Amino acid sequence: KEATSQERVEIRLALGQLKEGMVLSRDLYTSRGILLIPKEEVIRPAHIDKILNYHRIDPIVGGVWVYKPGAEV
């Protein structure tokens, strides 16, 4: 599928690469299926703390999907 100017580009990041201001492009779940943060949410420092805390006891598998910074329409 070709990207159009209306689409945003998704990238997958490791948890350590997540930064404040990024926007989730997919819902973020733990390995047990707990929804931590819904898609389209702008990441704040509290989100990063929550993600890292949950990851210690209920790992997040597959990384975190965000919209590529600078690719927003």
Side-chain angles (χ1 to χ4, degrees), residues 47-62:
H47 289 126
I48 295 171
D49 290 342
K50 179 179 182 178
I51 291 166
L52 295 176
N53 286 334
Y54 264 92
H55 184 66
R56 288 184 193 104
I57 57 170
D58 188 5
I60 294 158
V61 292

Side-chain angles (χ1 to χ4, degrees), residues 5-22:
S5 61
Q6 298 300 315
E7 295 176 337
R8 295 186 280 182
V9 178
E10 289 183 285
I11 57 173
R12 184 173 65 179
L13 301 176
L15 295 179
Q17 296 174 297
L18 195 59
K19 294 185 178 12
E20 181 180 358
M22 291 180 166

